[in-house]
Amino acid sequence: MLQWLRQYRREQLPGDVSAGLVVAMMMIPQGMAYALVAGLPPVVGIYASIAPPLIYALFGSSMTQSVGPMAIVSLMTGAVIAPLAAAGSGLYTVLAAQLALISGLVLLVCGALRLGFLANFFSRPVMSGFTVGAALVIALDQIDTLFGGAWRSPHWPSAILGLASLAALVLARQYLAALLRRCGLRPLLADILSKLAPMLVVIIATVLMADSRYGATGIHMIGAVPAGLPRLNLATSAAHWGALLQPGLLIGFIIFLISMSAAQTLALKRNEKLVSNHELIGLGAANLASALSGGFPVTGSMSRSAVNFAAGANTPLASVITAVLLALALVAPTGWLAWLPLPTLAATIIVAVLGMLDLSTLTTAWRYDRADALAWLATGAGVLALGVQAGVVVGVAMSMGTLIWRASRPNIAVLGRIAGSEHYRDIARYPAATDPAMLLLRIDANLFFGNVETVSERIEDELRGHATARDLVLVLSAVNAIDTTALFALSELNQNLKRRAIGLHLAEVKGPVLDRLKHSELLATLNGRLFLSTAIACDYLQPTVA
Amino acid sequence: MLQWLRQYRREQLPGDVSAGLVVAMMMIPQGMAYALVAGLPPVVGIYASIAPPLIYALFGSSMTQSVGPMAIVSLMTGAVIAPLAAAGSGLYTVLAAQLALISGLVLLVCGALRLGFLANFFSRPVMSGFTVGAALVIALDQIDTLFGGAWRSPHWPSAILGLASLAALVLARQYLAALLRRCGLRPLLADILSKLAPMLVVIIATVLMADSRYGATGIHMIGAVPAGLPRLNLATSAAHWGALLQPGLLIGFIIFLISMSAAQTLALKRNEKLVSNHELIGLGAANLASALSGGFPVTGSMSRSAVNFAAGANTPLASVITAVLLALALVAPTGWLAWLPLPTLAATIIVAVLGMLDLSTLTTAWRYDRADALAWLATGAGVLALGVQAGVVVGVAMSMGTLIWRASRPNIAVLGRIAGSEHYRDIARYPAATDPAMLLLRIDANLFFGNVETVSERIEDELRGHATARDLVLVLSAVNAIDTTALFALSELNQNLKRRAIGLHLAEVKGPVLDRLKHSELLATLNGRLFLSTAIACDYLQPTVA
């Protein structure tokens, strides 16, 4: 904890200051926009950008993670709370904080129980499909705000402002960095400044709306923003604890997944070490802080953390500076924020999530492993069709489904001896000779509950096809583990073969597997022997042939 | 379909007839008892024992499976419907049929999509913990019926009858078979006849109650049973489809798991082949038949199928005979059933589920693999604390949790050369020499989303510990598969090492893994080479040393 502060070196300061400044400028429009995605007053997005990064700096393990509001987590928050409270009501805001509290507690408990391995429950294709599906949902949700009404019958002033903002942001995203570079800026600086386009567009639009000619056109604005820092606030409504518990679990899980995936990408670039259990604690504490300061669920954001990283962040001090700047912005006169037009904010949301519409994982998976590509598509479709909460469940189901499906089709090879050698190989791939009295099977998979039935059936099939076999040798050179379910199956196979007077032998059992088998009764009751190698097994069982 | 009928041999008939008769005698009290567990009128249990086995005989793949009411599925049915309809109401019965319809459709769809691999989602310890937890819940639920009231203030006539029935059944279970054998019966016959004890106890208790001296004591009886066969009945209530959909999915899943586990045990004993996709179709059709004939969700029962098997069932004709006998029982005068006392029925339920309280899987797992034992305990506790539906979810989570947890701790060995040989071995286990300019890592696990982060971290750790290494050789002799997530991680490792001017080489890549990698860009962009063996890699990379 705070190791970075004790080891702080003076030369780290310039990078941290510039990153803190840049991220603060990015955070103001983004925080307000993501609060809107969650159905909350925009100022709540600023609140959620102050205490959480401060607390994460104390407990988190990533040096460059920027913790705060994030599009997908905001979408999930809105989906959970919208059915429970009227939009804009005080209850809505209280429930959002309560959801952050529950998610934070879930994350802390998981951290205390050292359940960091939970980050491994989503495959990358599933995470990618989930992200793309959620990004589409978020973008589609903003269409009405962008047009000031249904897109078929728009409120024209709103639509013109919204589309103009959108065009400006898209153009800035595509060309601003290149333009600034051509103006002589260093490439890195040009890239970073181009990330401030949303702030610039928001300021221009706000200034325009402050002009009464435009202000009177009926374009919706965010309205009065309460001045001052967030107050410690945790009015709870006991009736809703039950309703928020399960969504809080799901959101806690997604907070962890999103943050880990961002932090890992960045840690890899600097060969930094990330401790997933510390990350759970850091995120849990950050969400508690968000709940206590009137915020809503927060997480590390890939896009914002990448800017933080690129702008030179060396330590969490960058995030501390961001938080301080945002707090100052709230203490400063905030009256001007009232004129910020909603269509422009909608445009910043749409452009922000467009960056998440990345299909490269899908195309790679399509070429490399069709099952992973189908899992991507099913998860994306699940989010679009069933909503983002059910999408998490679909995602876990698809990750586990591809895993078990693949595991249920293990490679099992019948081995034969390569003539004139001591080598035994798959007879389907090599011209190898088999012995009618002996069946050699090599199982190329760990034996566990997911494949134990298929393996048992394949063994029976092969025994049926080798009716003269008196001995079955299982070659376990590729088996790294045998779980309890598989242990029972092997014991049943052993009993069964004993009744049929067929010997069951094990060859090339790996050290760790053998160590574990010694804690079971299988070896003591084995209707056959253990052999160090396949060749030794064959020589022993078929001395005349060998 | 019906292959068994086309190939029917005359000598199979006596076994099928005797098994059909025995199972019918067993099914009458059991069907009524399990209907009570589901909160349904006892006669519904008989209905559910007629059409389903007939239809399963057409579509199922097991020769000896006895399909009908089953304790755990009945418990789940009751848990789903009790909050939706008043006990004893017409709606309750309609919803039970509707649940069977939904579960049946789920099973048929899964069968059509060939999702038989879903049976592999529960590990054996988890299935065992789930079964024990559910058995305890069922037994505890019957205590009030057994005592005719709360056990602290029982209705004494009921309690005496209930406890006497219980004592008789427990004694019969323990000693009846041995007693009959001592009377000169063949052991098999003695065992089978002892299974008819529940029927005998039920008859005796019913006859007692028919005597007005006992009938007037206030012991609850099942009351008038409608005579005649079930009628085609599917009054649905659209309002409840939504509420029943998700429970229907869970119950369909459990129906399949329970039936497969029973059928597999029996198929193993006769070396018969079971096709899990046919089993899905057979069970789906059986549940549709149950729904259409006024029944409730059914499945293959281990205890009943074992009796069917032991009593000599050779083909599904045994089940057909059982069904016909039960249909005849309903056509015959059923007035006497009205006197059947509920405490006795409760005693048969308690004794039936006592047989499911098997702790041997737990004790084996405790010795062999602590994680599996904890999964057993967590699942059992989940069923007891959260209910049987949530218990299914806990079970899947624990199965998957142990799987991912184990996968997240793969064995990774640093290899060194055994002096004077071409062999490379784990330096932690063998006195093998390493080269400071080269790091050899053997990964003893398939690379997939569940372990890819740990593997990446371990590789980074080892590189930190071997700061002089200019080449990293990954020995993939134990890697049977690399999924899309791991492909991305390897590509990122490759980019990362390229920046640090460290070569990345792959050795001993298996044929199927290599075939798949050729569909990716990893090999083309690899910052190093592919080697057939570790020795070749070392000779090439360190020619002077070798």
Side-chain angles (χ1 to χ4, degrees):
Chain A
M1 202 170 121
L2 284 181
Q3 198 184 358
W4 62 268
L5 192 58
R6 286 194 299 274
Q7 300 177 348
Y8 203 84
R9 300 190 312 276
R10 203 177 160 181
E11 63 267 31
Q12 291 176 320
L13 193 62
D16 283 341
V17 170
S18 75
L21 198 68
V22 168
V23 173
M25 301 286 279
M26 190 179 174
M27 199 84 137
I28 290 175
Q30 201 179 66
M32 292 193 291
Y34 292 162
L36 276 188
V37 169
L40 288 160
V43 74
V44 174
I46 309 285
Y47 294 165
S49 312
I50 298 173
L54 287 176
I55 297 297
Y56 180 85
L58 283 177
F59 298 100
S61 71
S62 164
M63 286 294 111
T64 47
Q65 183 75 287
S66 169
V67 171
M70 193 269 174
I72 295 177
V73 172
S74 295
L75 174 67
M76 293 185 75
T77 301
V80 170
I81 301 184
L84 300 176
S89 66
L91 179 63
Y92 198 106
T93 312
V94 168
L95 291 183
Q98 200 169 320
L99 192 60
L101 183 76
I102 295 172
S103 303
L105 290 174
V106 166
L107 289 161
L108 284 176
V109 168
C110 289
L113 295 175
R114 310 182 69 75
L115 300 183
F117 77 95
L118 289 177
N120 301 339
F121 262 84
F122 257 35
S123 71
R124 176 155 171 165
V126 160
M127 188 72 198
S128 171
F130 177 78
T131 304
V132 170
L136 279 177
V137 170
I138 293 167
L140 292 174
D141 277 354
Q142 294 304 319
I143 297 289
D144 283 3
T145 311
L146 189 79
F147 286 91
W151 66 272
R152 285 166 183 279
S153 55
H155 173 250
W156 283 110
S158 299
I160 289 166
L161 177 64
L163 292 172
S165 306
L166 193 65
L169 289 166
V170 169
L171 289 172
R173 199 178 139 83
Q174 293 285 345
Y175 303 110
L176 187 57
L179 191 72
L180 291 173
R181 249 176 279 162
R182 219 175 292 165
C183 295
L185 266 69
R186 278 184 298 123
L188 185 65
L189 187 63
D191 279 354
I192 291 167
L193 286 181
S194 74
K195 302 288 183 192
L196 300 181
M199 184 68 179
L200 196 69
V201 169
V202 160
I203 291 174
I204 293 172
T206 306
V207 170
L208 271 179
M209 296 300 292
D211 181 323
S212 59
R213 275 175 303 170
Y214 300 103
T217 52
I219 296 174
H220 286 289
M221 296 173 283
I222 69 171
V225 170
L229 293 175
R231 275 171 299 172
L232 193 70
N233 166 26
L234 200 70
T236 60
S237 97
H240 292 99
W241 278 98
L244 293 181
L245 190 61
Q246 192 227 318
L249 273 168
L250 279 187
I251 290 181
F253 177 60
I254 289 295
I255 284 172
F256 182 49
L257 282 183
I258 290 175
S259 183
M260 277 303 281
S261 128
Q264 272 158 352
T265 307
L266 299 176
L268 195 67
K269 289 194 180 160
R270 286 198 191 158
N271 305 323
E272 282 169 358
K273 196 171 166 64
L274 203 69
V275 183
S276 57
N277 290 319
H278 292 184
E279 202 55 21
L280 281 167
I281 303 283
L283 290 168
N287 274 284
L288 283 195
S290 187
L292 294 172
S293 60
F296 65 117
V298 293
T299 189
S301 144
M302 181 67 219
S303 58
R304 206 168 49 221
S305 298
V307 170
N308 196 34
F309 181 91
N314 292 306
T315 72
L317 184 66
S319 291
V320 173
I321 293 170
T322 300
V324 170
L325 289 173
L326 286 173
L328 289 176
L330 280 184
V331 180
T334 52
W336 61 274
L337 271 177
W339 285 293
L340 204 170
L342 291 182
T344 299
L345 222 40
T348 68
I349 294 170
I350 292 172
V351 173
V353 299
L354 282 183
M356 291 155 58
L357 294 180
D358 173 21
L359 299 182
S360 65
T361 302
L362 176 62
T363 54
T364 302
W366 188 263
R367 281 194 309 273
Y368 181 72
D369 189 333
R370 209 53 60 87
D372 273 336
L374 293 176
W376 192 110
L377 291 168
T379 309
V383 172
L384 287 172
L386 307 173
V388 69
Q389 276 203 80
V392 181
V393 179
V394 172
V396 171
M398 293 312 298
S399 289
M400 296 299 130
T402 49
L403 176 59
I404 297 288
W405 180 77
R406 240 177 243 136
S408 70
R409 305 152 75 242
N411 187 40
I412 297 181
V414 177
L415 302 188
R417 185 186 289 228
I418 305 284
S421 84
E422 283 280 291
H423 294 297
Y424 289 80
R425 291 279 185 281
D426 185 351
I427 59 168
R429 291 188 172 230
Y430 295 86
T434 59
D435 184 305
M438 189 170 59
L439 176 60
L440 297 171
L441 292 180
R442 193 190 65 215
I443 301 170
D444 289 348
N446 293 349
L447 294 174
F448 77 111
F449 63 86
N451 62 16
V452 85
E453 284 311 326
T454 325
V455 171
S456 302
E457 280 170 23
R458 270 296 302 279
I459 291 175
E460 275 307 322
D461 285 351
E462 293 297 343
L463 281 171
R464 259 180 232 116
H466 297 75
T468 55
R470 302 324 311 153
D471 287 290
L472 168 65
V473 182
L474 297 181
V475 180
L476 303 184
S477 51
V479 175
N480 300 306
I482 294 179
D483 81 348
T484 308
T485 311
L487 175 72
F488 274 101
L490 284 176
S491 302
E492 279 153 14
L493 177 68
N494 185 44
Q495 295 304 325
N496 185 332
L497 292 181
K498 199 177 267 181
R499 279 200 302 276
R500 293 148 73 184
I502 298 175
L504 174 64
H505 312 274
L506 306 179
E508 305 189 27
V509 184
K510 291 197 170 190
V513 175
L514 195 59
D515 290 347
R516 199 171 272 278
L517 284 180
K518 285 176 183 156
H519 290 100
S520 79
E521 287 168 14
L522 179 66
L523 295 183
T525 60
L526 194 67
N527 184 33
R529 293 170 57 108
L530 269 178
F531 295 102
L532 270 180
S533 78
T534 311
I536 296 172
C538 292
D539 289 350
Y540 178 87
L541 295 170
Q542 301 294 329
T544 53
V545 179
Chain B
M1 201 170 119
L2 284 181
Q3 200 183 355
W4 61 268
L5 194 58
R6 283 195 299 275
Q7 300 176 348
Y8 204 81
R9 299 188 314 275
R10 207 179 157 181
E11 64 268 30
Q12 292 176 318
L13 194 60
D16 283 341
V17 169
S18 75
L21 198 67
V22 168
V23 173
M25 301 286 279
M26 188 179 175
M27 198 84 137
I28 290 176
Q30 200 178 66
M32 291 192 294
Y34 291 164
L36 277 187
V37 169
L40 289 160
V43 72
V44 173
I46 309 285
Y47 294 165
S49 312
I50 298 174
L54 287 175
I55 297 297
Y56 180 84
L58 282 175
F59 297 101
S61 71
S62 164
M63 288 292 110
T64 47
Q65 183 75 287
S66 170
V67 171
M70 192 270 174
I72 295 178
V73 172
S74 295
L75 174 67
M76 293 185 75
T77 301
V80 170
I81 302 186
L84 300 175
S89 67
L91 179 63
Y92 198 107
T93 313
V94 167
L95 290 182
Q98 200 170 317
L99 191 61
L101 183 78
I102 294 172
S103 304
L105 289 174
V106 165
L107 289 162
L108 284 175
V109 168
C110 288
L113 295 175
R114 310 181 70 75
L115 300 183
F117 77 96
L118 289 176
N120 301 338
F121 262 85
F122 257 35
S123 71
R124 178 157 168 163
V126 161
M127 187 72 198
S128 172
F130 177 78
T131 303
V132 170
L136 280 177
V137 171
I138 294 168
L140 293 173
D141 278 353
Q142 295 304 319
I143 297 288
D144 283 2
T145 311
L146 189 80
F147 286 90
W151 66 272
R152 285 167 183 278
S153 55
H155 174 248
W156 283 110
S158 299
I160 290 166
L161 177 64
L163 291 173
S165 305
L166 193 64
L169 289 166
V170 169
L171 289 173
R173 199 179 138 83
Q174 293 284 344
Y175 305 109
L176 187 57
L179 190 72
L180 291 173
R181 250 177 276 163
R182 218 174 292 164
C183 295
L185 267 68
R186 280 184 296 124
L188 185 65
L189 187 62
D191 279 355
I192 292 167
L193 285 182
S194 74
K195 302 288 182 190
L196 299 181
M199 183 69 179
L200 196 69
V201 169
V202 161
I203 289 174
I204 294 171
T206 307
V207 169
L208 271 179
M209 297 300 291
D211 182 323
S212 58
R213 275 174 303 170
Y214 300 103
T217 52
I219 296 174
H220 287 289
M221 297 174 280
I222 69 170
V225 170
L229 293 174
R231 274 171 301 169
L232 192 71
N233 167 27
L234 202 69
T236 62
S237 97
H240 292 97
W241 278 99
L244 293 181
L245 190 62
Q246 192 226 317
L249 272 167
L250 279 187
I251 291 181
F253 177 60
I254 288 296
I255 285 171
F256 182 49
L257 283 183
I258 291 174
S259 184
M260 277 304 281
S261 123
Q264 273 159 351
T265 309
L266 298 176
L268 196 67
K269 290 195 178 160
R270 286 198 190 158
N271 305 322
E272 283 169 357
K273 197 172 166 64
L274 205 68
V275 183
S276 58
N277 290 318
H278 291 184
E279 201 58 18
L280 280 167
I281 303 282
L283 290 168
N287 274 285
L288 283 194
S290 185
L292 294 173
S293 59
F296 65 115
V298 292
T299 189
S301 142
M302 181 68 218
S303 58
R304 207 169 48 222
S305 299
V307 170
N308 196 34
F309 180 91
N314 292 306
T315 73
L317 185 65
S319 290
V320 172
I321 293 169
T322 301
V324 169
L325 288 173
L326 285 172
L328 289 175
L330 280 184
V331 178
T334 52
W336 61 275
L337 271 176
W339 285 293
L340 203 168
L342 290 182
T344 300
L345 221 42
T348 69
I349 295 170
I350 292 171
V351 173
V353 299
L354 283 183
M356 289 155 57
L357 295 180
D358 174 21
L359 299 182
S360 65
T361 302
L362 175 62
T363 54
T364 301
W366 190 262
R367 282 195 311 271
Y368 180 74
D369 189 333
R370 208 54 58 89
D372 273 335
L374 292 176
W376 191 110
L377 291 168
T379 309
V383 171
L384 286 172
L386 307 173
V388 69
Q389 276 203 82
V392 180
V393 179
V394 172
V396 171
M398 293 312 297
S399 289
M400 297 298 129
T402 47
L403 176 59
I404 297 287
W405 181 76
R406 238 177 246 137
S408 69
R409 306 154 72 240
N411 187 39
I412 296 181
V414 178
L415 302 189
R417 185 185 289 227
I418 305 285
S421 84
E422 282 282 289
H423 294 298
Y424 289 81
R425 290 281 186 279
D426 185 351
I427 60 168
R429 291 188 173 232
Y430 295 86
T434 59
D435 184 305
M438 189 169 58
L439 177 58
L440 296 172
L441 291 180
R442 193 189 65 215
I443 301 168
D444 289 346
N446 293 349
L447 294 174
F448 77 112
F449 64 88
N451 61 14
V452 87
E453 284 312 326
T454 326
V455 171
S456 302
E457 279 169 24
R458 270 297 303 280
I459 291 175
E460 275 309 320
D461 285 351
E462 292 297 343
L463 280 173
R464 259 181 232 118
H466 296 75
T468 54
R470 302 324 310 153
D471 287 290
L472 169 66
V473 182
L474 296 181
V475 180
L476 303 184
S477 52
V479 175
N480 299 307
I482 295 179
D483 80 349
T484 307
T485 310
L487 175 71
F488 274 102
L490 283 177
S491 303
E492 280 153 14
L493 176 67
N494 186 44
Q495 295 302 325
N496 185 330
L497 292 183
K498 197 176 270 181
R499 280 199 302 275
R500 293 150 72 183
I502 299 174
L504 174 64
H505 312 274
L506 306 179
E508 305 189 27
V509 184
K510 290 197 169 190
V513 175
L514 195 59
D515 291 347
R516 199 172 274 277
L517 284 180
K518 285 177 184 155
H519 289 101
S520 79
E521 287 167 14
L522 179 66
L523 296 184
T525 59
L526 194 67
N527 185 33
R529 294 169 56 107
L530 269 178
F531 295 101
L532 271 179
S533 79
T534 310
I536 296 173
C538 293
D539 289 349
Y540 179 88
L541 296 170
Q542 302 292 331
T544 53
V545 180

